Amino acid sequence: MAQTKASVRTIVSIAFLVLIWGLSWSIYKVTLHYTPPILFAGMRSLFGGLLLAICLLPTWRKLQWRENWSRYVISGLLNAAFFYGLQTVGLIYLPGGLFSVLVYFQPVLIGLFAWMWLGERMSLIKVAGLLIGFIGIIAVSSGSFTGQVSFVGVTLALLAAISWALGVIYVKKESGKVDSMWMVAFQFILGGGLLTVIGSGVESWSSITWNSTYLLGLGFGSTLGIPIAFVIYFHLMNTGEASKVASFTFLVPLIAVLTGTLFLHEPFTYSLLLGLVLIVVSIYCVNYTSKRNKKGIALQE
């Protein structure tokens, strides 16, 4: 019974996370019409981290800054400053659909890094599942592949995917040494603060249009999009196999495209349907457990 409840909570958490991140692409896309990109990335990260830190103040003893400051800095650079910075600049050079495809090579990288550094099993069916999922992402976003492909844009997108994957593996690897909630809070305070400083230097605050659309996008990112979503994400990562949890993020671009179809009047295509099928197959393969393994687990229990 307890295991069933835990499974239900995990499914609900994954569904909520995928929905938040899927909706965020359309919300941020609209919001960026009213704000410079780096300042927006920095502010939503900084405000999200500060908000979470305020909620965590009753547990401030778990912060242990002297022992863990280097972990907070590394996590902040990988999961916030580098990831959002590279993503923001890279979108200047590539269409959003193509960029999201390259960024969501991240689950494949997580599967590889988790095998290398966390000792997770890497079966042929799991490898096939991760690759099928990536092909599904390509199918979902193929309608956005227009114009000449920029080498700089592709490089920045892949670096963003590598930074995110390394950041996730690092947080999971260090999860036993630092409080995960404070890790999330400080990675965005430090990373978001750095991006805000950089944005202040290369962009203009006067370019921000303080209307309801901008405030909605900033509010969404500062609450659901960053602190809540990443708390859920790293909790799932720390309690399960990184590669399995990461496989579900293949659904994020699918939700993003569906949201664009429903609310931004973007076209629905057969490639979107094909992508959906491939992503579902991918998630099944990555999370597949053979009967022999199931018997082994049962005997251990």
Side-chain angles (χ1 to χ4, degrees):
M1 181 66 72
Q3 188 175 2
T4 301
K5 288 183 178 180
S7 299
V8 171
R9 284 197 299 269
T10 299
I11 292 170
V12 171
S13 296
I14 289 173
F16 189 52
L17 175 65
V18 168
L19 181 62
I20 291 174
W21 277 349
L23 290 173
S24 69
W25 284 86
S26 294
I27 292 173
Y28 296 158
K29 182 177 181 179
V30 173
T31 306
L32 283 171
H33 291 298
Y34 305 100
T35 176
I38 297 178
L39 278 174
F40 180 54
M43 288 175 66
R44 72 177 190 264
S45 300
L46 178 59
F47 290 165
L50 288 172
L51 181 61
L52 181 57
I54 291 171
C55 295
L56 293 174
L57 281 178
T59 65
W60 66 271
R61 292 182 184 277
K62 295 181 179 180
L63 175 60
Q64 298 181 326
W65 177 259
R66 286 187 179 181
E67 296 87 347
N68 296 316
W69 68 268
S70 61
R71 296 185 178 95
Y72 295 136
V73 170
I74 294 172
S75 178
L77 289 174
L78 291 173
N79 287 308
F82 291 161
F83 174 55
Y84 285 120
L86 292 166
Q87 182 184 113
T88 301
V89 176
L91 282 170
I92 298 173
Y93 296 93
L94 286 180
L98 176 55
F99 196 87
S100 68
V101 165
L102 296 173
V103 168
Y104 277 90
F105 188 58
Q106 180 253 18
V108 179
L109 293 173
I110 282 185
L112 175 63
F113 295 158
W115 170 66
M116 292 171 59
W117 294 316
L118 300 180
E120 293 187 3
R121 293 182 179 180
M122 183 55 68
S123 63
L124 286 176
I125 192 169
K126 183 181 286 188
V127 172
L130 290 169
L131 293 176
I132 289 170
F134 183 61
I135 294 170
I137 297 299
I138 295 175
V140 165
S141 303
S142 60
S144 301
F145 300 171
T146 57
Q148 187 174 1
V149 176
S150 164
F151 174 77
V152 174
V154 170
T155 301
L156 291 173
L158 290 176
L159 287 175
I162 292 170
S163 178
W164 188 15
L166 288 174
V168 170
I169 295 299
Y170 179 78
V171 170
K172 183 172 175 64
K173 193 173 181 64
E174 299 295 316
S175 61
K177 304 171 185 175
V178 61
D179 182 76
S180 59
M181 297 284 280
W182 277 108
M183 176 75 95
V184 174
F186 261 90
Q187 74 180 22
F188 288 114
I189 290 174
L190 297 173
L194 178 60
L195 285 175
T196 302
V197 170
I198 294 173
S200 299
V202 300
E203 298 173 341
S204 173
W205 284 87
S206 62
S207 299
I208 299 175
T209 303
W210 297 85
N211 58 14
S212 58
T213 302
Y214 169 73
L215 293 174
L216 175 64
L218 182 62
F220 179 89
S222 301
T223 53
L224 289 170
I226 288 183
I228 292 177
F230 274 91
V231 165
I232 295 172
Y233 184 59
F234 284 122
H235 173 73
L236 290 169
M237 281 289 177
N238 290 335
T239 56
E241 283 192 29
S243 55
K244 290 185 177 182
V245 175
S247 70
F248 283 93
T249 62
F250 281 134
L251 289 168
V252 173
L254 176 65
I255 299 297
V257 173
L258 288 174
T259 302
T261 300
L262 291 174
F263 299 108
L264 301 181
H265 307 293
E266 296 174 351
F268 183 89
T269 62
Y270 287 111
S271 62
L272 179 60
L273 182 61
L274 173 62
L276 171 61
V277 174
L278 290 174
I279 289 168
V280 171
V281 171
S282 163
I283 293 172
Y284 174 80
C285 290
V286 174
N287 290 274
Y288 173 79
T289 303
S290 68
K291 291 182 179 179
R292 183 171 58 185
N293 287 339
K294 286 180 180 178
K295 289 180 180 179
I297 293 170
L299 288 173
Q300 290 175 4
E301 294 174 347

mmCIF file of all heavy atoms in Angstrom, residues 267-289:
data_model
loop_
_atom_site.group_PDB
_atom_site.id
_atom_site.type_symbol
_atom_site.label_atom_id
_atom_site.label_comp_id
_atom_site.label_asym_id
_atom_site.label_seq_id
_atom_site.Cartn_x
_atom_site.Cartn_y
_atom_site.Cartn_z
ATOM 1 N N PRO A 267 0.426 25.649 -35.929
ATOM 2 C CA PRO A 267 -0.214 24.518 -36.608
ATOM 3 C C PRO A 267 0.033 23.170 -35.934
ATOM 4 O O PRO A 267 1.101 22.938 -35.362
ATOM 5 C CB PRO A 267 0.420 24.550 -38.007
ATOM 6 C CG PRO A 267 1.743 25.220 -37.802
ATOM 7 C CD PRO A 267 1.526 26.241 -36.730
ATOM 8 N N PHE A 268 -0.956 22.283 -36.027
ATOM 9 C CA PHE A 268 -0.811 20.893 -35.575
ATOM 10 C C PHE A 268 -0.439 20.046 -36.784
ATOM 11 O O PHE A 268 -1.085 20.119 -37.827
ATOM 12 C CB PHE A 268 -2.113 20.388 -34.964
ATOM 13 C CG PHE A 268 -2.011 18.985 -34.417
ATOM 14 C CD1 PHE A 268 -1.626 18.768 -33.117
ATOM 15 C CD2 PHE A 268 -2.299 17.890 -35.220
ATOM 16 C CE1 PHE A 268 -1.526 17.480 -32.594
ATOM 17 C CE2 PHE A 268 -2.207 16.596 -34.721
ATOM 18 C CZ PHE A 268 -1.818 16.401 -33.401
ATOM 19 N N THR A 269 0.611 19.248 -36.668
ATOM 20 C CA THR A 269 1.117 18.492 -37.815
ATOM 21 C C THR A 269 1.189 17.007 -37.496
ATOM 22 O O THR A 269 1.133 16.587 -36.334
ATOM 23 C CB THR A 269 2.525 18.984 -38.205
ATOM 24 O OG1 THR A 269 3.415 18.747 -37.099
ATOM 25 C CG2 THR A 269 2.515 20.483 -38.522
ATOM 26 N N TYR A 270 1.333 16.211 -38.561
ATOM 27 C CA TYR A 270 1.505 14.773 -38.376
ATOM 28 C C TYR A 270 2.812 14.463 -37.655
ATOM 29 O O TYR A 270 2.918 13.464 -36.944
ATOM 30 C CB TYR A 270 1.473 14.058 -39.734
ATOM 31 C CG TYR A 270 0.095 13.993 -40.348
ATOM 32 C CD1 TYR A 270 -0.218 14.721 -41.487
ATOM 33 C CD2 TYR A 270 -0.900 13.199 -39.767
ATOM 34 C CE1 TYR A 270 -1.493 14.659 -42.055
ATOM 35 C CE2 TYR A 270 -2.181 13.137 -40.326
ATOM 36 C CZ TYR A 270 -2.467 13.871 -41.459
ATOM 37 O OH TYR A 270 -3.729 13.806 -41.996
ATOM 38 N N SER A 271 3.825 15.307 -37.849
ATOM 39 C CA SER A 271 5.096 15.095 -37.169
ATOM 40 C C SER A 271 4.931 15.215 -35.653
ATOM 41 O O SER A 271 5.631 14.550 -34.888
ATOM 42 C CB SER A 271 6.146 16.091 -37.662
ATOM 43 O OG SER A 271 5.759 17.424 -37.385
ATOM 44 N N LEU A 272 3.984 16.055 -35.225
ATOM 45 C CA LEU A 272 3.696 16.187 -33.799
ATOM 46 C C LEU A 272 3.119 14.879 -33.254
ATOM 47 O O LEU A 272 3.513 14.408 -32.176
ATOM 48 C CB LEU A 272 2.719 17.336 -33.562
ATOM 49 C CG LEU A 272 2.283 17.606 -32.122
ATOM 50 C CD1 LEU A 272 3.474 17.946 -31.252
ATOM 51 C CD2 LEU A 272 1.268 18.733 -32.075
ATOM 52 N N LEU A 273 2.208 14.276 -34.005
ATOM 53 C CA LEU A 273 1.626 12.995 -33.601
ATOM 54 C C LEU A 273 2.680 11.895 -33.574
ATOM 55 O O LEU A 273 2.730 11.090 -32.633
ATOM 56 C CB LEU A 273 0.495 12.625 -34.564
ATOM 57 C CG LEU A 273 -0.269 11.324 -34.272
ATOM 58 C CD1 LEU A 273 -0.939 11.391 -32.911
ATOM 59 C CD2 LEU A 273 -1.301 11.060 -35.366
ATOM 60 N N LEU A 274 3.549 11.872 -34.588
ATOM 61 C CA LEU A 274 4.635 10.892 -34.627
ATOM 62 C C LEU A 274 5.555 11.079 -33.427
ATOM 63 O O LEU A 274 5.977 10.106 -32.788
ATOM 64 C CB LEU A 274 5.428 11.044 -35.924
ATOM 65 C CG LEU A 274 6.700 10.189 -36.046
ATOM 66 C CD1 LEU A 274 6.363 8.705 -35.999
ATOM 67 C CD2 LEU A 274 7.453 10.527 -37.335
ATOM 68 N N GLY A 275 5.877 12.333 -33.118
ATOM 69 C CA GLY A 275 6.727 12.617 -31.970
ATOM 70 C C GLY A 275 6.129 12.111 -30.676
ATOM 71 O O GLY A 275 6.832 11.567 -29.820
ATOM 72 N N LEU A 276 4.825 12.290 -30.521
ATOM 73 C CA LEU A 276 4.132 11.816 -29.324
ATOM 74 C C LEU A 276 4.289 10.307 -29.169
ATOM 75 O O LEU A 276 4.616 9.810 -28.080
ATOM 76 C CB LEU A 276 2.648 12.185 -29.402
ATOM 77 C CG LEU A 276 1.731 11.581 -28.328
ATOM 78 C CD1 LEU A 276 2.159 12.027 -26.939
ATOM 79 C CD2 LEU A 276 0.281 11.945 -28.585
ATOM 80 N N VAL A 277 4.082 9.570 -30.243
ATOM 81 C CA VAL A 277 4.211 8.109 -30.199
ATOM 82 C C VAL A 277 5.632 7.699 -29.830
ATOM 83 O O VAL A 277 5.841 6.829 -28.962
ATOM 84 C CB VAL A 277 3.813 7.498 -31.557
ATOM 85 C CG1 VAL A 277 4.097 5.989 -31.569
ATOM 86 C CG2 VAL A 277 2.347 7.757 -31.858
ATOM 87 N N LEU A 278 6.613 8.334 -30.442
ATOM 88 C CA LEU A 278 8.015 7.994 -30.168
ATOM 89 C C LEU A 278 8.395 8.311 -28.722
ATOM 90 O O LEU A 278 9.125 7.546 -28.078
ATOM 91 C CB LEU A 278 8.934 8.761 -31.121
ATOM 92 C CG LEU A 278 8.884 8.328 -32.596
ATOM 93 C CD1 LEU A 278 9.719 9.258 -33.451
ATOM 94 C CD2 LEU A 278 9.352 6.889 -32.755
ATOM 95 N N ILE A 279 7.902 9.418 -28.204
ATOM 96 C CA ILE A 279 8.224 9.795 -26.825
ATOM 97 C C ILE A 279 7.620 8.801 -25.836
ATOM 98 O O ILE A 279 8.255 8.412 -24.857
ATOM 99 C CB ILE A 279 7.737 11.237 -26.539
ATOM 100 C CG1 ILE A 279 8.618 12.236 -27.299
ATOM 101 C CG2 ILE A 279 7.776 11.541 -25.043
ATOM 102 C CD1 ILE A 279 8.061 13.645 -27.314
ATOM 103 N N VAL A 280 6.391 8.376 -26.089
ATOM 104 C CA VAL A 280 5.748 7.388 -25.221
ATOM 105 C C VAL A 280 6.530 6.070 -25.250
ATOM 106 O O VAL A 280 6.774 5.447 -24.204
ATOM 107 C CB VAL A 280 4.281 7.156 -25.641
ATOM 108 C CG1 VAL A 280 3.689 5.980 -24.883
ATOM 109 C CG2 VAL A 280 3.452 8.411 -25.372
ATOM 110 N N VAL A 281 6.943 5.635 -26.439
ATOM 111 C CA VAL A 281 7.755 4.425 -26.568
ATOM 112 C C VAL A 281 9.077 4.587 -25.815
ATOM 113 O O VAL A 281 9.536 3.682 -25.118
ATOM 114 C CB VAL A 281 8.016 4.105 -28.052
ATOM 115 C CG1 VAL A 281 9.036 2.976 -28.186
ATOM 116 C CG2 VAL A 281 6.723 3.730 -28.752
ATOM 117 N N SER A 282 9.668 5.767 -25.931
ATOM 118 C CA SER A 282 10.936 6.050 -25.262
ATOM 119 C C SER A 282 10.815 5.911 -23.745
ATOM 120 O O SER A 282 11.638 5.251 -23.102
ATOM 121 C CB SER A 282 11.398 7.469 -25.611
ATOM 122 O OG SER A 282 12.379 7.928 -24.712
ATOM 123 N N ILE A 283 9.798 6.537 -23.180
ATOM 124 C CA ILE A 283 9.608 6.487 -21.722
ATOM 125 C C ILE A 283 9.378 5.054 -21.256
ATOM 126 O O ILE A 283 9.898 4.628 -20.218
ATOM 127 C CB ILE A 283 8.443 7.399 -21.305
ATOM 128 C CG1 ILE A 283 8.819 8.870 -21.561
ATOM 129 C CG2 ILE A 283 8.070 7.194 -19.837
ATOM 130 C CD1 ILE A 283 7.682 9.826 -21.376
ATOM 131 N N TYR A 284 8.627 4.282 -22.040
ATOM 132 C CA TYR A 284 8.400 2.876 -21.692
ATOM 133 C C TYR A 284 9.722 2.107 -21.688
ATOM 134 O O TYR A 284 10.010 1.341 -20.755
ATOM 135 C CB TYR A 284 7.423 2.231 -22.674
ATOM 136 C CG TYR A 284 7.269 0.744 -22.458
ATOM 137 C CD1 TYR A 284 6.442 0.258 -21.439
ATOM 138 C CD2 TYR A 284 7.958 -0.176 -23.248
ATOM 139 C CE1 TYR A 284 6.316 -1.116 -21.222
ATOM 140 C CE2 TYR A 284 7.832 -1.538 -23.039
ATOM 141 C CZ TYR A 284 7.012 -2.000 -22.014
ATOM 142 O OH TYR A 284 6.896 -3.352 -21.800
ATOM 143 N N CYS A 285 10.547 2.313 -22.718
ATOM 144 C CA CYS A 285 11.810 1.577 -22.818
ATOM 145 C C CYS A 285 12.758 1.924 -21.672
ATOM 146 O O CYS A 285 13.373 1.041 -21.072
ATOM 147 C CB CYS A 285 12.493 1.887 -24.152
ATOM 148 S SG CYS A 285 11.656 1.192 -25.595
ATOM 149 N N VAL A 286 12.880 3.219 -21.367
ATOM 150 C CA VAL A 286 13.811 3.638 -20.320
ATOM 151 C C VAL A 286 13.378 3.119 -18.957
ATOM 152 O O VAL A 286 14.207 2.794 -18.109
ATOM 153 C CB VAL A 286 13.934 5.179 -20.301
ATOM 154 C CG1 VAL A 286 14.789 5.641 -19.119
ATOM 155 C CG2 VAL A 286 14.556 5.672 -21.604
ATOM 156 N N ASN A 287 12.071 3.026 -18.725
ATOM 157 C CA ASN A 287 11.556 2.590 -17.430
ATOM 158 C C ASN A 287 11.201 1.114 -17.403
ATOM 159 O O ASN A 287 10.669 0.622 -16.400
ATOM 160 C CB ASN A 287 10.314 3.416 -17.058
ATOM 161 C CG ASN A 287 10.664 4.847 -16.728
ATOM 162 O OD1 ASN A 287 10.997 5.170 -15.605
ATOM 163 N ND2 ASN A 287 10.602 5.715 -17.738
ATOM 164 N N TYR A 288 11.509 0.398 -18.493
ATOM 165 C CA TYR A 288 11.198 -1.025 -18.569
ATOM 166 C C TYR A 288 12.062 -1.831 -17.602
ATOM 167 O O TYR A 288 13.265 -1.610 -17.489
ATOM 168 C CB TYR A 288 11.423 -1.532 -20.001
ATOM 169 C CG TYR A 288 11.288 -3.029 -20.162
ATOM 170 C CD1 TYR A 288 10.036 -3.624 -20.243
ATOM 171 C CD2 TYR A 288 12.423 -3.842 -20.236
ATOM 172 C CE1 TYR A 288 9.914 -5.008 -20.401
ATOM 173 C CE2 TYR A 288 12.309 -5.216 -20.390
ATOM 174 C CZ TYR A 288 11.048 -5.792 -20.471
ATOM 175 O OH TYR A 288 10.931 -7.142 -20.617
ATOM 176 N N THR A 289 11.433 -2.727 -16.899
ATOM 177 C CA THR A 289 12.146 -3.650 -16.012
ATOM 178 C C THR A 289 11.787 -5.073 -16.417
ATOM 179 O O THR A 289 10.613 -5.431 -16.457
ATOM 180 C CB THR A 289 11.747 -3.427 -14.538
ATOM 181 O OG1 THR A 289 12.011 -2.069 -14.201
ATOM 182 C CG2 THR A 289 12.562 -4.327 -13.627
#
